[in-house]
Amino acid sequence: MIEVGQKAPDFCLPNQDDVEICLRDLKGKWIVLYFYPRDNTPGCTTEACEFTEAAPDFSSLDAIILGVSADSTKKHRNFIEKHDLGITLLSDESTDMMQQYGVWQLKKNYGKEYMGIVRSTFIIDPEGIVRAKWDKVRVKGHVEAVKEKLAELKQA
């Protein structure tokens, strides 16, 4: 997994509107990049709704929020419409980006092993350096913790 202090791996992925979003185009902005397992599941919906609610706070900290899963852009559009989300969701159906960030890992559930997304969040500074990370995220209270860390990093 990418560590704090490392350069964030570059990416170019389609968002929910099939518009390509690239890290290089976001230079100069703070980025909250979060990886989640699947659209329209309870934990992922809660996390997306909480990031949407907090979006104005992140915006006032000059940060953009990007959510990433292996779901298609069409599934992302449905997810956004169904829950009135105000954040950008990127589609990494190939899992290439998730592998670069180290969040595509072997998981176990009910004795079965499979490859899947480990819920993780990274804060990337305007120069493209990872300044904070959370892995194996528990949704409750997470968005607030990310917001506090971002505010702290901006003051440093």
Side-chain angles (χ1 to χ4, degrees):
M1 189 175 277
I2 295 295
E3 297 299 328
V4 171
Q6 286 184 297
K7 187 159 178 43
D10 201 12
F11 61 83
C12 282
L13 290 174
N15 71 4
Q16 66 275 1
D17 301 318
D18 291 306
V19 173
E20 192 174 69
I21 305 289
C22 298
L23 181 61
R24 66 177 176 265
D25 300 332
L26 302 172
K27 215 166 184 58
K29 282 202 167 293
W30 286 85
I31 302 165
V32 174
L33 181 66
Y34 83 96
F35 295 89
Y36 66 99
R38 184 167 287 128
D39 291 345
N40 285 308
T41 55
C44 298
T45 300
T46 299
E47 189 175 28
C49 288
E50 288 182 3
F51 269 121
T52 293
E53 276 176 43
D57 298 333
F58 282 101
S59 191
S60 70
L61 290 166
D62 195 31
I64 60 165
I65 302 164
L66 299 174
V68 182
S69 80
D71 290 308
S72 67
T73 56
K74 184 176 189 249
K75 282 184 179 169
H76 282 343
R77 273 193 305 278
N78 293 341
F79 185 41
I80 286 171
E81 287 166 15
K82 184 175 179 182
H83 300 285
D84 200 24
L85 301 177
I87 56 177
T88 298
L89 299 179
L90 303 180
S91 176
D92 185 17
E93 290 185 89
S94 69
T95 74
D96 289 348
M97 178 195 178
M98 290 182 256
Q99 290 176 50
Q100 285 184 305
Y101 277 79
V103 302
W104 184 253
Q105 298 177 11
L106 188 65
K107 296 170 85 175
K108 286 183 181 168
N109 197 12
Y110 300 115
K112 285 195 171 119
E113 288 189 343
Y114 61 96
M115 294 303 289
I117 301 166
V118 175
R119 191 185 304 275
S120 309
T121 303
F122 299 87
I123 294 177
I124 302 169
D125 76 8
E127 274 70 62
I129 306 298
V130 175
R131 293 298 171 200
K133 81 167 199 175
W134 292 260
D135 59 353
K136 296 184 178 83
V137 166
R138 295 275 167 255
V139 174
K140 190 170 173 47
H142 178 61
V143 171
E144 195 57 41
V146 173
K147 200 166 44 174
E148 286 170 15
K149 183 67 178 178
L150 178 62
E152 179 187 307
L153 287 167
K154 287 202 61 158
Q155 288 175 347

